[in-house]
Amino acid sequence: MSHMGRHMTHTGVEQSAGQSAGQGANFIEEIISAHVAAGRPRVVTRFPPEPNGYLHLGHAKSICLNFGLALKFSGAVPTQCNLRLDDTNPAAEEDEFVQSIKEDVRWLGFDWGEGLYFASDYFEQLFEFAVRLIRDGKAYVDSQTPEQMKATRGDFHTPGVNSPFRDRSVEENLDLFGRMQAGEFEHGAHVLRAKIDMASPNINFRDPPIYRILHADHHRTGSKWRVYPMYDFAHGLSDAIEGVTHSICTLEFEDHRPLYDWFLEALGFEEGARPHQYEFSRLNITYTVLSKRRLQRLVYEGHVESWDDPRMPTIAGMRRRGYPPAALRHFCERAGVTKNNTLMDVGHLEHALRETLNATCRRAMAVLRPLKVVVENLPEGHVEWLEAPFYPAEEEGALDLGARRVPFTRELYIEREDFMEVPAKKWFRLSVGAEVRLRYACLLTCHAVVKDEGGEVVELRCTWDPASKGGTPADGRKVKGTLHWVSATHGARADVLLYDRLFSAPSPGEGKGDFLEDLNPSSLEAVSAVLEPALLDVPPGEVVQFERLGYFCADVKRSAPGAPSFHRTIGLKDSWAKVAQG
Ligand code: ATP
Ligand code: MG
């Protein structure tokens, strides 16, 4: 396919992609469909993270896209999606990050098969490629200082100036490059640059550096190398070495595409048998930061507990928070793949989360801010074990998730905010003289309140209607409010963490000196809650719905056997939307 033809297809599809985000085939899928229809023998993509941090939600999008494409076309041609650890920068990379990346990709539901690679495995080959460029007169060792190189690079309006070292002989270049690798020179004394065009309107073409001296040991190659390849050089060539056909990256690399092609061309990778780069827009979402540098600061400066703090938008944090992988996949699918840089509402993510949890989670009762209720017409020590399903039978598409027994006793707890001493208009919950339903139990009427010296209500004196067992009164009278509750004598006291959004501004840091100024001071609140006994059997990692309150996850780190430590995954409704509207 000619370059022209490819470019036109690209732009043509791109426009429709912008309009139909999230529905049907995205523009990259359409490009690949056309390639497959035209007889391309295979589709190979890759996900190329740099192991210098944990993966975040933006990476999840790239993972779903790249692995998703390999799955989508697997019926038509042989396909593969590689996981390539792009570990060309020895300073920042650690094995902990490599392990977390592998775990996160697998957890999201994808499989790289045989395709696990490290860019550092190609160091030998990349070095040979660089030597070939020198031999062909397409690269030279520049001995200007970094400042001189910067000053002679020019800018958008001004062409660059050739380096005085640009016309070194092949022999001299080979000798210097060899001695750079032998460790003879200090960092910054020389760099190897591609010899392209210092006057190019595309600044990436102005003799870009391809190898630099770094006296740093690498987590996989140890002290073998004293020169390390630059991203632009290593990336496309790694793609070519692996036989990648479609190299998909984010839009900021659009201007690098001609350079991507230049290296492949210069090293003799034939058009038709070499990878091509396609760009899509990064995922940005409100109330969230998705940049490794910022996430690093949150962790290293102690604003969160760790990379997998449940408030972090890292895949590990979201997993710990209670996100099922399907919720992330659905969200990424719906977010669509376009070339428009947009800021997505975090509400879409939360919606995908609630939707997935609603369809799978068991439900039980917990009271977060307990207010004591004494049922005066129940004898002291009396226990009534009520049978209650884990998923309400009356609900559409109800799941059979089993049942548990709930103890009903003389002393109970209800949610403090379900009682109002002076009821507001249309208050269907409890107040003095009012009758409500206790979920799965009975109808209950409040007669009096007990207050402490400060005047705060600390106890409600109530009676139950024994002819309303299960919650349906014998005379069929209507009762609107239904409350959740827990036995005070049989319930278990437990600290529950109420996580909320980590940032309180839609675009953290916008118009401020620092994004940390927008940290939400109430992103973590601990309450002393009461759990119904069945909740003690919830295994770590499971999310259950606390009825009327939201979804809560038994934390994998803080839970002990028989003593789950719950945190809020997400509320039932978007409380932020209400605040914004009201
Ligand atoms: P960050 O800006 O967070 O440091 P990065 O792009 O430097 O991210 P890499 O590890 O190099 O991080 O990224 C691996 C892949 O994930 C790249 O192909 C990159 O384009 C993609 N990616 C990173 N962030 C996003 C995002 N917000 N949306 C979509 N894709 C992303
Ligand atoms: Mg990067």
Side-chain angles (χ1 to χ4, degrees):
M1 194 186 278
S2 75
H3 186 83
M4 197 58 188
R6 193 174 69 243
H7 192 75
M8 283 171 61
T9 323
H10 211 217
T11 333
V13 182
E14 188 183 301
Q15 278 162 2
S16 67
Q19 289 150 14
S20 63
Q23 304 159 12
N26 65 56
F27 79 100
I28 295 178
E29 245 173 279
E30 290 183 18
I31 291 169
I32 299 180
S33 284
H35 288 165
V36 169
R40 289 277 184 101
R42 59 189 202 291
V43 171
V44 182
T45 56
R46 86 287 172 268
F47 171 63
E50 190 184 343
N52 61 350
Y54 278 60
L55 298 180
H56 55 62
L57 185 61
H59 294 116
K61 174 153 176 183
S62 178
I63 293 167
C64 290
L65 175 60
N66 281 293
F67 283 92
L69 287 168
L71 287 172
K72 267 175 198 147
F73 289 96
S74 62
V77 287
T79 64
Q80 166 69 27
C81 179
N82 295 339
L83 172 61
R84 182 192 319 141
L85 286 305
D86 190 352
D87 57 353
T88 50
N89 178 7
E93 292 148 8
E94 284 177 39
D95 198 57
E96 179 198 346
F97 299 136
V98 172
Q99 298 315 322
S100 73
I101 289 169
K102 287 161 71 174
E103 185 182 357
D104 290 349
V105 173
R106 258 192 238 113
W107 176 78
L108 269 177
F110 298 107
D111 181 6
W112 52 82
E114 303 290 295
L116 176 65
Y117 298 108
F118 290 83
S120 55
D121 290 343
Y122 312 138
F123 280 169
E124 200 80 52
Q125 247 166 312
L126 294 170
F127 189 82
E128 286 308 315
F129 283 140
V131 167
R132 191 132 42 106
L133 288 182
I134 297 176
R135 288 223 164 88
D136 291 345
K138 292 175 178 165
Y140 64 96
V141 173
D142 195 353
S143 309
Q144 294 184 100
T145 64
E147 296 70 37
Q148 284 167 330
M149 270 184 261
K150 204 170 166 212
T152 53
R153 209 168 172 226
D155 56 27
F156 187 71
H157 307 283
T158 337
V161 177
N162 284 356
S163 164
F165 303 98
R166 200 170 194 266
D167 294 319
R168 273 181 165 149
S169 68
V170 170
E171 289 65 37
E172 189 182 359
N173 281 321
L174 285 175
D175 173 62
L176 282 170
F177 189 46
R179 288 164 59 200
M180 283 162 66
Q181 161 57 8
E184 281 188 30
F185 307 115
E186 285 307 301
H187 171 78
H190 308 280
V191 291
L192 185 69
R193 298 177 77 173
K195 195 171 184 175
I196 310 183
D197 178 7
M198 286 304 290
S200 171
N202 183 339
I203 296 193
N204 295 299
F205 258 24
R206 296 186 185 170
D207 292 6
I210 59 182
Y211 259 96
R212 63 193 158 145
I213 297 168
L214 266 184
H215 292 274
D217 289 354
H218 187 279
H219 76 120
R220 299 187 86 234
T221 59
S223 58
K224 181 170 180 199
W225 298 96
R226 298 294 95 176
V227 289
Y228 288 92
M230 303 298 290
Y231 177 86
D232 279 331
F233 181 71
H235 195 82
L237 291 168
S238 301
D239 286 342
I241 290 167
E242 287 172 19
V244 166
T245 55
H246 297 80
S247 176
I248 299 163
C249 62
T250 39
L251 268 182
E252 67 272 22
F253 290 102
E254 198 168 29
D255 289 347
H256 298 238
R257 191 185 339 135
L259 185 57
Y260 182 100
D261 292 335
W262 188 91
F263 286 126
L264 294 174
E265 184 79 41
L267 288 161
F269 289 94
E270 306 225 338
E271 174 62 68
R274 72 188 192 207
H276 284 281
Q277 178 183 301
Y278 303 90
E279 309 89 17
F280 71 104
S281 53
R282 299 177 84 81
L283 175 72
N284 300 301
I285 74 172
T286 53
Y287 299 97
T288 310
V289 299
L290 292 181
S291 124
K292 257 185 265 171
R293 221 167 339 106
R294 287 177 163 193
L295 297 177
Q296 274 161 2
R297 282 192 62 197
L298 289 170
V299 177
Y300 299 145
E301 294 175 19
H303 303 288
V304 295
E305 143 198 337
S306 53
W307 283 99
D308 69 351
D309 184 301
R311 292 164 295 174
M312 287 283 274
T314 52
I315 297 179
M318 296 172 86
R319 171 169 62 236
R320 192 171 154 203
R321 177 81 168 243
Y323 272 77
L328 291 185
R329 289 196 303 266
H330 291 157
F331 168 74
C332 291
E333 177 71 26
R334 285 180 206 153
V337 177
T338 73
K339 285 205 167 230
N340 311 329
N341 265 317
T342 51
L343 179 63
M344 242 185 122
D345 187 336
V346 72
H348 293 292
L349 175 66
E350 295 173 345
H351 175 74
L353 175 59
R354 287 191 189 97
E355 190 182 45
T356 313
L357 293 176
N358 182 50
T360 51
C361 288
R362 300 195 287 170
R363 298 184 190 180
M365 294 191 288
V367 174
L368 295 181
R369 294 178 177 87
L371 174 60
K372 169 131 356 129
V373 166
V374 176
V375 185
E376 291 177 328
N377 56 345
L378 261 188
E380 205 92 44
H382 178 91
V383 190
E384 188 110 9
W385 287 93
L386 309 165
E387 180 90 355
F390 272 122
Y391 200 96
E394 70 272 16
E395 205 124 312
E396 211 185 309
L399 304 169
D400 182 6
L401 297 178
R404 82 283 190 188
R405 297 197 313 147
V406 184
F408 180 62
T409 52
R410 178 179 161 88
E411 294 198 349
L412 309 171
Y413 287 119
I414 64 164
E415 208 68 59
R416 188 163 278 280
E417 66 171 39
D418 280 335
F419 176 80
M420 261 183 122
E421 203 178 357
V422 185
K425 241 194 256 168
K426 296 205 179 159
W427 179 256
F428 298 119
R429 294 181 258 166
L430 209 51
S431 57
V432 179
E435 185 175 48
V436 293
R437 177 179 298 102
L438 293 184
R439 183 74 158 145
Y440 296 123
C442 63
L443 300 186
L444 181 92
T445 304
C446 176
H447 299 294
V449 301
V450 179
K451 295 184 180 181
D452 65 11
E453 308 93 63
E456 200 190 340
V457 176
V458 290
E459 188 179 299
L460 306 180
R461 307 298 294 190
C462 302
T463 52
W464 76 302
D465 171 6
S468 68
K469 256 195 199 169
T472 316
D475 64 3
R477 69 185 180 277
K478 296 270 178 287
V479 172
K480 274 202 173 163
T482 298
L483 310 187
H484 61 277
W485 55 277
V486 171
S487 160
T489 40
H490 290 62
R493 273 278 171 183
D495 282 344
V496 170
L497 301 184
L498 303 179
Y499 289 123
D500 202 344
R501 293 177 184 170
L502 189 52
F503 292 94
S504 50
S507 299
E510 192 177 79
K512 304 244 167 75
D514 190 2
F515 76 102
L516 293 172
E517 289 176 45
D518 283 323
L519 272 173
N520 175 7
S522 353
S523 67
L524 169 57
E525 185 192 350
V527 293
S528 173
V530 193
L531 313 176
E532 69 160 89
L535 282 170
L536 296 181
D537 298 328
V538 173
E542 184 176 330
V543 180
V544 290
Q545 185 190 114
F546 289 177
E547 290 210 36
R548 300 180 64 231
L549 296 171
Y551 296 95
F552 290 74
C553 183
D555 191 279
V556 285
K557 282 195 170 167
R558 288 182 297 101
S559 295
S565 180
F566 286 97
H567 61 239
R568 182 166 64 200
T569 301
I570 186 90
L572 290 179
K573 294 203 189 84
D574 184 354
S575 54
W576 290 68
K578 262 186 267 160
V579 173
Q581 280 159 23

